[in-house]
Amino acid sequence: NEVKVRQRVVPIDPEEEADFERELRALTQESFESRKLELRTRPTLNMTLPMNVLDHHSRSGVEEELGDEALDEDGSGGNKEVSFKVLVKRGNKQQTKQMLVPRDCKLVRNTKQNEAAESEE
Amino acid sequence: EETVGGDDDSNYEFGKGVFSEHACKYCGVQNPACVVRCNVPSCRKWFCNSRGNTSGSHIVNHLVRAKHKEVCLHKDSPLGETILECYSCGCRNVFLLGFISAKADNIVVLLCREPCASGNALKDMNWDPSQWLPLIDDRCFLPWLVKIPSEQEQLRARQISAQQINKVEELWKTNPDASLEDLEKPGVDDEPQPVALKYDDAYQYQNVFAPLVTLEADYDKMMKESQSKDSLTIRWDVGLNKKRIAYFVFPKEDNELRLVPGDELRLRYSGDAAHPAWQSVGHVIKLTAQEEVALELRGSQGVPLDVNHGYSVDFVWKSTSFDRMQGAMKTFAVDDTSVSGKAYVDITEVTIVIFGVLAKDDELMSERKDYFKHMGHMALEEQDVILEGYSYIFHQLLGHEVEAQVIKNPLPRRFGAPGLPELNASQVFAVKSVLQKPVSLIQGPPGTGKTVTSAAIVYHLSKTNQGQVLVCAPSNVAVDQLAEKISATGLKVVRLCAKSREAVSSPVEHLTLHYQVRHLDTSEKSELHKLQQLKDEQGELSSSDEKKYKALKRATEREISLSADVICCTCVGAGDPRLSNFRFRQVLIDESTQATEPECLIPLVLGVKQVVLVGDHCQLGPVIMCKKAARAMLAQSLFERLVLLGVKPFRLQVQYRMHPSLSEFPSNSFYEGTLQNGVTIVERQSTGIDFPWPVPNRPMFFYVQMGQEEISASGTSYLNRTEAAHVEKLVTTFLRSGVVPNQIGVITPYEGQRAYIVNYMSRNGSLRQQLYKEIEVASVDSFQGREKDYIILSCVRSNEHQGIGFLNDPRRLNVALTRARYGIVVLGNPKVLSKQPLWNSLLTHYKEHECLVEGPLNNLKQSMVQFQKPKKMYN
Ligand SMILES: [Zn+2]
Ligand SMILES: [Zn+2]
Ligand SMILES: [Zn+2]
């Protein structure tokens, strides 16, 4: 039971696009520069992974609940998404939140490469 | 106390408050997974992550244009209510934030690019900073963090352009609460934007119609409130419900709104030595044949019953109907479930297929390009998007090109319905095709059995078991007629009346909700009955009893309504608070060509999935009093626009009203000759009636009148004395020949002439005065939808240089010519009328059939009057 709707596509005005891109870059650049000036000394990082997150997983890094097909190597037949955990702070507490990240996202490819490298070591 | 027992409507706002706070300020998308809130304290607006027609997503557009840098996720999004900030240093500048992942484990964290994600410290801590992924990528937020609205949601959304975004951002700098509508508000003296054929989205639709409805409402208010009349004479009476009724004559003029039952008036007496000043509000419950208004007063205290003269009356204007139209448009725009409804689905569930432009449509394409260029759009390309079925009607109403869709209702074996006459072939065809289509138009020319066909359709829709069917029409008369027919099929019908009309008598009283509530005779209801009785006797209840009474009544109303197969009400009535929790998948609107679009929308936003519009765009449309709104085409019905968009109406083709000689001209002029006769000459012979028709078996003639028109006493209308005198002679001849008064209708387009004829007949008629009083003399408009055996049409206009005014509208002529069953006489000046092409062809038609005559009635002769050359038709 599908409906076909013909929709207009308004082409993007290249001038508007260029103008917008310029402003976006300027804002990003400005943020970056001001940051460099404002922080002379590097703050210390508290980036250790919380143990409770790591405990439940095998060293391979693949989450068990994802099942077999979750990370099959060619990446075409299985899920389009991989389950990731986002590390956040709630007050002073560390927490992780489950999030689905598309398989072709750079983060996913990265993690897999690292895993491969680590298992070779 | 006047407010007790009054309308509950006053504190109910139809369609208000449906817009969620977290809807994208640009486009209205409100899926929590797709929106984020700008976290700048002075801003806090929500935006979505779709690009729409711009190069960056809406949220990124906002942040860049407003130079705001912090955002917060929605509480119902996967991460919950979260301000995006650097995990390490707490920096909230989204232009600096990005994700990195842990070397092992599928864990990511948000870090600022400088300084936290740079430098070497991370490497030693199991993190991999080499791939820092910015939060804003390709001018969008990462789509897995903030979802991109589905194609479906984006199609529903407001189509905002980059220019509009820049403008509204500018506006927000000085007025943070401004809306996009403020950008387009016309100035006081500007002409409003006219209605369009197609709309980008429901917001644009609303932006066009809302100002027009406001204009009409303002005009209506101004006009009605200025209609105060002084020095009225009252005749007092008491109704069966013991309420006071005031009878009085309410003089009216052309272009003035006529009072209708249900109207609210305030009656005032300024007081004298023996009486204090007094006033009371009441509802018009009827208009008598003697043109008296019957006003039922709400309160009976202190009524100066012994005074009959010196009263004043004001109109109490109510905005209810206009409010409901506005509410319906708002609901249509912001509530996904209002039309072909279902809440938004997860984007992964929707199949989206995008096609290229089909080559064969080139011609259409270039036409459309011109149209869009004309409309100031820059649209040059198109695409087809396949969506799930539920948004079909939504897009159809906006004029988007939607591929035909079939509803898989099983077809019945018989298309007629119990209790109704057998259907003819075109009626069967109409019923059959309607059942499987989501949107259908049925055109019912005069006398073609529109009501029977509608009732049969409703019967079969109801048998598909998709819940209650909603049946509407703009006028109460039409709703009553249809309710009666539907009830005859055996379906359970509830006729919902406005509270203000509960005292107005109805031919289908037993079907009305208020009657059924009063007569539901079960023991549980005895409490309600007791309270009702008490209220009737005392006029009011204690406040605790009143509360109890109202709650009981509401529950009973709901129970009865829920048990019905079909609910019938006016289009405006569909916005009644008593239906606010009801959903109707199937809606039929009769006389839909007499409703404005916003009016038609009211019954549609209750979740319609299948709609049938019945009407005839070749007859008169809705009356729009405000000239500005009329120029902007508010009078164009939804039915008409759908026809213009290419939806083909099913035309009922057999007429059962007119003598075949009478249907010939209307069929050829208005219906491409398709109208067939379901009655024979023999069935329409006036047996025993001795009337001097110039051609036997052709009961029609054009009676040539050369008398001049005059301006009426009021200065706002016209009359024509010679025509009036001849109308009286015709009426007298009919009456003498054995026709009774209620078989005759006198139609004239001018109020001046109407009043003059009524007066003239009663003074100069040679028969009993009472007979003339019983003859209905009225405008073309008030005869629409009705019929008489004999019609006398007085055209009035007769002048050398001016136009023919009201008579210029072909639709009005069509209605005037198609009211008669047995015979028609048209009185007019052929020299004047023949300038107009349609009248020219009507005159030619009469002449060719030797029915253009002059002279005394007992010696009619063919007229040799010369016609003028018709002017070219324009419009
Ligand atoms: Zn902001
Ligand atoms: Zn948006
Ligand atoms: Zn940081």
Side-chain angles (χ1 to χ4, degrees):
Chain A
N1 197 19
E2 309 178 307
V3 178
K4 206 198 244 179
V5 178
R6 176 159 296 172
Q7 189 205 16
R8 295 199 344 258
V9 179
V10 181
I12 285 161
D13 178 6
E15 223 171 284
E16 183 265 319
E17 185 175 21
D19 170 58
F20 186 73
E21 183 63 31
R22 207 166 30 244
E23 281 202 45
L24 174 60
R25 270 174 202 276
L27 205 55
T28 312
Q29 195 57 35
E30 176 206 298
S31 301
F32 188 64
E33 299 296 337
S34 70
R35 200 67 185 152
K36 271 185 164 170
L37 290 176
E38 149 192 328
L39 298 161
R40 292 277 158 89
T41 51
R42 279 176 190 284
T44 43
L45 290 167
N46 176 13
M47 296 290 293
T48 43
L49 287 172
M51 287 317 287
N52 60 339
V53 175
L54 294 171
D55 276 355
H56 305 290
H57 305 291
S58 61
R59 283 298 300 155
S60 81
V62 181
E63 289 186 24
E64 283 139 37
E65 69 254 38
L66 286 177
D68 313 323
E69 41 166 20
L71 275 178
D72 58 350
E73 282 309 306
D74 66 311
S76 59
N79 287 346
K80 291 208 183 75
E81 286 165 332
V82 180
S83 183
F84 263 77
K85 284 185 171 173
V86 182
L87 187 58
V88 289
K89 254 190 212 144
R90 290 271 188 268
N92 284 328
K93 269 193 192 153
Q94 287 180 320
Q95 241 183 39
T96 60
K97 293 264 184 174
Q98 200 84 11
M99 193 88 218
L100 289 173
V101 178
R103 185 166 275 274
D104 56 5
C105 172
K106 271 197 279 183
L107 288 175
V108 178
R109 291 195 304 250
N110 230 19
T111 312
K112 285 204 298 183
Q113 278 166 10
N114 282 331
E115 278 157 15
E118 253 178 43
S119 57
E120 270 170 29
E121 277 167 18
Chain B
E1 224 246 80
E2 292 214 326
T3 51
V4 170
D7 274 5
D8 289 339
D9 282 17
S10 40
N11 47 16
Y12 169 81
E13 291 178 289
F14 176 76
K16 295 255 172 89
V18 274
F19 211 148
S20 25
E21 189 225 358
H22 65 261
C24 172
K25 273 282 179 293
Y26 290 162
C27 73
V29 159
Q30 47 188 327
N31 182 345
C34 303
V35 293
V36 297
R37 193 186 70 206
C38 174
N39 203 42
V40 172
S42 61
C43 179
R44 299 224 153 201
K45 294 183 169 66
W46 291 87
F47 296 93
C48 79
N49 200 25
S50 86
R51 290 170 201 272
N53 300 324
T54 58
S55 53
S57 81
H58 288 163
I59 178 60
V60 176
N61 255 290
H62 167 69
L63 297 173
V64 168
R65 298 299 184 198
K67 305 227 181 322
H68 292 169
K69 295 169 187 169
E70 298 181 12
V71 303
C72 180
L73 301 177
H74 193 276
K75 64 174 168 35
D76 300 328
S77 69
L79 284 191
E81 188 169 4
T82 309
I83 296 174
L84 296 181
E85 59 184 18
C86 173
Y87 179 82
S88 171
C89 73
C91 163
R92 291 176 172 182
N93 183 336
V94 291
F95 296 99
L96 287 172
L97 295 176
F99 283 102
I100 61 166
S101 53
K103 278 182 195 150
D105 299 299
N106 292 354
I107 294 180
V108 293
V109 71
L110 203 53
L111 279 188
C112 70
R113 187 175 141 208
E114 180 65 31
C116 303
S118 67
N120 293 322
L122 283 169
K123 280 205 167 140
D124 313 325
M125 289 190 269
N126 286 322
W127 292 99
D128 176 16
S130 66
Q131 293 285 359
W132 179 81
L133 187 61
L135 190 60
I136 297 173
D137 190 21
D138 195 19
R139 303 174 208 134
C140 268
F141 270 65
L142 290 171
W144 46 266
L145 185 68
V146 184
K147 290 238 166 24
I148 308 227
S150 68
E151 199 76 29
Q152 173 89 29
E153 287 167 295
Q154 292 194 39
L155 266 178
R156 260 202 137 276
R158 181 191 286 125
Q159 310 295 306
I160 185 173
S161 70
Q163 288 89 330
Q164 283 173 304
I165 288 179
N166 289 342
K167 270 202 223 162
V168 79
E169 286 289 352
E170 272 311 304
L171 201 56
W172 281 337
K173 284 178 187 162
T174 52
N175 174 13
D177 297 325
S179 72
L180 270 164
E181 284 70 32
D182 295 334
L183 286 180
E184 266 126 80
K185 273 206 181 123
V188 193
D189 296 321
D190 292 351
E191 279 294 314
Q193 212 183 331
V195 308
L197 193 56
K198 305 175 181 191
Y199 298 87
D200 288 351
D201 52 62
Y203 299 90
Q204 193 200 5
Y205 183 91
Q206 191 203 7
N207 284 351
V208 169
F209 276 104
L212 301 183
V213 171
T214 306
L215 277 172
E216 181 68 6
D218 291 346
Y219 189 89
D220 191 55
K221 181 174 197 289
M222 189 267 290
M223 257 220 351
K224 286 187 168 153
E225 289 184 345
S226 69
Q227 272 194 45
S228 294
K229 305 274 174 185
D230 295 320
S231 327
L232 294 179
T233 300
I234 304 287
R235 180 165 69 80
W236 291 108
D237 200 358
V238 181
L240 288 174
N241 55 4
K242 299 184 185 115
K243 289 194 177 169
R244 287 284 161 206
I245 301 176
Y247 285 92
F248 54 91
V249 176
F250 193 77
K252 62 178 190 297
E253 290 164 37
D254 270 356
N255 301 323
E256 276 192 353
L257 278 185
R258 279 144 231 267
L259 291 179
V260 292
D263 281 348
E264 199 170 310
L265 302 178
R266 182 181 297 106
L267 189 61
R268 287 184 284 126
Y269 183 66
S270 55
D272 57 44
H275 304 87
W278 167 88
Q279 64 172 41
S280 175
V281 171
H283 284 116
V284 175
I285 53 168
K286 69 178 171 193
L287 301 161
T288 69
Q290 284 71 41
E291 300 186 25
E292 268 187 320
V293 176
L295 186 72
E296 182 188 276
L297 298 183
R298 274 198 203 148
S300 51
Q301 272 177 358
V303 183
L305 291 173
D306 51 335
V307 181
N308 296 92
H309 301 285
Y311 285 89
S312 302
V313 156
D314 317 307
F315 203 97
V316 181
W317 186 77
K318 290 222 158 165
S319 62
T320 315
S321 55
F322 299 102
D323 290 346
R324 288 180 184 173
M325 293 182 208
Q326 301 282 19
M329 287 189 282
K330 202 164 169 191
T331 306
F332 183 53
V334 304
D335 180 1
D336 301 11
T337 66
S338 64
V339 168
S340 14
K342 165 170 156 185
Y344 60 80
V345 290
D346 192 290
I347 48 169
T348 54
E349 284 175 23
V350 184
T351 325
I352 302 161
V353 185
I354 300 177
F355 286 87
V357 177
L358 302 169
K360 65 175 180 187
D361 276 337
D362 274 353
E363 209 175 303
L364 198 68
M365 277 287 298
S366 68
E367 251 182 57
R368 218 174 300 120
K369 274 180 208 161
D370 287 341
Y371 173 73
F372 287 130
K373 264 189 209 152
H374 170 70
M375 299 295 288
H377 291 295
M378 357 178 266
L380 293 167
E381 284 174 65
E382 303 203 1
Q383 66 183 9
D384 284 348
V385 181
I386 288 191
L387 299 171
E388 287 199 0
Y390 55 81
S391 49
Y392 182 89
I393 297 180
F394 177 83
H395 290 293
Q396 175 85 273
L397 293 183
L398 292 175
H400 299 167
E401 270 183 60
V402 195
E403 205 168 71
Q405 197 201 15
V406 171
I407 295 181
K408 288 179 189 106
N409 280 337
L411 288 177
R413 275 186 301 142
R414 266 189 80 240
F415 291 95
L420 296 179
E422 204 59 46
L423 301 184
N424 66 41
S426 70
Q427 290 170 333
V428 166
F429 185 61
V431 177
K432 189 172 167 183
S433 16
V434 156
L435 288 175
Q436 298 196 321
K437 283 176 62 175
V439 177
S440 345
L441 305 180
I442 293 184
Q443 185 186 9
T448 49
K450 214 160 45 84
T451 311
V452 168
T453 311
S454 298
I457 290 169
V458 172
Y459 175 80
H460 290 295
L461 285 178
S462 176
K463 295 297 172 196
T464 62
N465 288 323
Q466 293 182 48
Q468 297 176 293
V469 183
L470 180 62
V471 174
C472 296
S475 76
N476 280 289
V477 177
V479 175
D480 285 346
Q481 280 175 1
L482 201 45
E484 188 168 22
K485 281 272 181 318
I486 297 168
S487 167
T489 67
L491 291 180
K492 248 179 120 181
V493 175
V494 162
R495 161 73 163 107
L496 180 72
C497 292
K499 290 242 165 86
S500 60
R501 288 184 59 95
E502 289 187 355
V504 179
S505 77
S506 155
V508 289
E509 180 99 59
H510 61 290
L511 300 177
T512 62
L513 181 59
H514 55 274
Y515 178 95
Q516 295 192 38
V517 167
R518 274 179 175 255
H519 294 80
L520 190 75
D521 216 16
T522 65
S523 53
E524 311 113 71
K525 295 296 165 298
S526 59
E527 175 79 10
L528 176 62
H529 276 191
K530 256 186 255 159
L531 289 168
Q532 180 76 57
Q533 238 166 13
L534 207 62
K535 194 178 161 89
D536 289 350
E537 280 161 16
Q538 303 176 344
E540 58 185 340
L541 293 171
S542 69
S543 65
S544 69
D545 274 355
E546 178 71 25
K547 228 181 196 172
K548 211 191 291 169
Y549 167 74
K550 276 197 167 152
L552 274 171
K553 193 169 158 196
R554 207 165 298 141
T556 313
E557 282 175 342
R558 190 170 166 75
E559 189 184 314
I560 293 173
S561 305
L562 279 171
S563 72
D565 299 314
V566 179
I567 300 226
C568 297
C569 59
T570 60
C571 293
V572 167
D576 192 295
R578 287 170 289 179
L579 292 183
S580 59
N581 292 320
F582 284 67
R583 305 294 280 173
F584 299 97
R585 289 157 177 249
Q586 299 167 314
V587 179
L588 180 138
I589 305 179
D590 193 10
E591 284 189 350
S592 69
T593 46
Q594 284 177 265
T596 61
E597 271 207 40
E599 195 179 346
C600 241
L601 206 56
I602 302 172
L604 298 186
V605 296
L606 300 169
V608 70
K609 290 190 166 189
Q610 190 171 17
V611 57
V612 185
L613 299 180
V614 186
D616 183 5
H617 52 300
C618 298
Q619 297 184 58
L620 289 166
V623 180
I624 299 300
M625 304 299 289
C626 168
K627 293 224 168 71
K628 258 189 188 179
R631 274 198 300 274
M633 306 246 291
L634 181 58
Q636 176 182 274
S637 64
L638 175 61
F639 186 108
E640 261 179 294
R641 186 165 63 89
L642 289 173
V643 170
L644 292 175
L645 282 167
V647 181
K648 230 175 118 55
F650 298 102
R651 187 185 282 163
L652 303 180
Q653 290 178 324
V654 187
Q655 70 86 14
Y656 298 92
R657 177 183 297 161
M658 295 162 271
H659 184 290
S661 300
L662 304 190
S663 66
E664 192 182 337
F665 181 81
S667 172
N668 291 331
S669 305
F670 307 109
Y671 304 104
E672 294 100 37
T674 58
L675 215 50
Q676 298 155 32
N677 297 307
V679 285
T680 62
I681 293 176
V682 177
E683 285 170 282
R684 283 291 174 268
Q685 225 151 29
S686 314
T687 35
I689 304 291
D690 178 31
F691 191 82
W693 300 110
V695 181
N697 274 339
R698 204 171 267 284
M700 56 187 240
F701 64 90
F702 192 102
Y703 200 5
V704 175
Q705 306 288 316
M706 302 307 270
Q708 284 295 301
E709 69 183 38
E710 289 168 48
I711 306 245
S712 70
S714 66
T716 59
S717 188
Y718 294 93
L719 60 87
N720 186 318
R721 289 171 202 266
T722 30
E723 279 188 23
H726 282 103
V727 167
E728 181 270 314
K729 288 200 177 75
L730 286 161
V731 167
T732 303
T733 310
F734 273 126
L735 292 174
R736 281 231 173 87
S737 69
V739 173
V740 296
N742 69 17
Q743 286 181 282
I744 306 172
V746 178
I747 301 184
T748 180
Y750 292 95
E751 173 55 29
Q753 178 76 341
R754 194 200 63 78
Y756 186 79
I757 290 174
V758 169
N759 208 325
Y760 183 93
M761 287 201 302
S762 69
R763 278 191 289 113
N764 301 294
S766 52
L767 302 173
R768 267 193 308 127
Q769 238 193 39
Q770 189 54 35
L771 289 173
Y772 296 101
K773 278 193 172 168
E774 284 168 30
I775 284 165
E776 189 174 359
V777 185
S779 66
V780 184
D781 303 53
S782 60
F783 266 107
Q784 171 140 310
R786 300 191 299 131
E787 59 183 27
K788 286 278 179 189
D789 286 350
Y790 298 96
I791 288 288
I792 301 168
L793 171 63
S794 167
C795 295
V796 182
R797 299 310 296 272
S798 176
N799 55 61
E800 281 299 317
H801 305 290
Q802 291 172 44
I804 55 171
F806 282 149
L807 300 174
N808 240 326
D809 185 347
R811 299 186 301 176
R812 188 166 276 113
L813 180 59
N814 182 20
V815 173
L817 293 177
T818 52
R819 300 304 100 196
R821 302 172 75 220
Y822 286 86
I824 186 167
V825 181
V826 186
L827 298 94
N829 181 339
K831 277 202 150 157
V832 173
L833 294 168
S834 58
K835 278 189 241 172
Q836 205 258 23
L838 188 58
W839 277 93
N840 192 290
S841 65
L842 178 75
L843 286 158
T844 307
H845 174 79
Y846 274 79
K847 190 173 178 139
E848 278 169 359
H849 290 97
E850 302 180 335
C851 295
L852 185 80
V853 295
E854 59 192 24
L857 269 178
N858 54 12
N859 190 20
L860 291 172
K861 293 253 162 56
Q862 301 271 330
S863 171
M864 290 300 136
V865 63
Q866 289 295 306
F867 298 165
Q868 301 206 36
K869 244 174 72 190
K871 281 186 196 153
K872 263 200 192 134
M873 271 274 231
Y874 43 90
N875 83 19

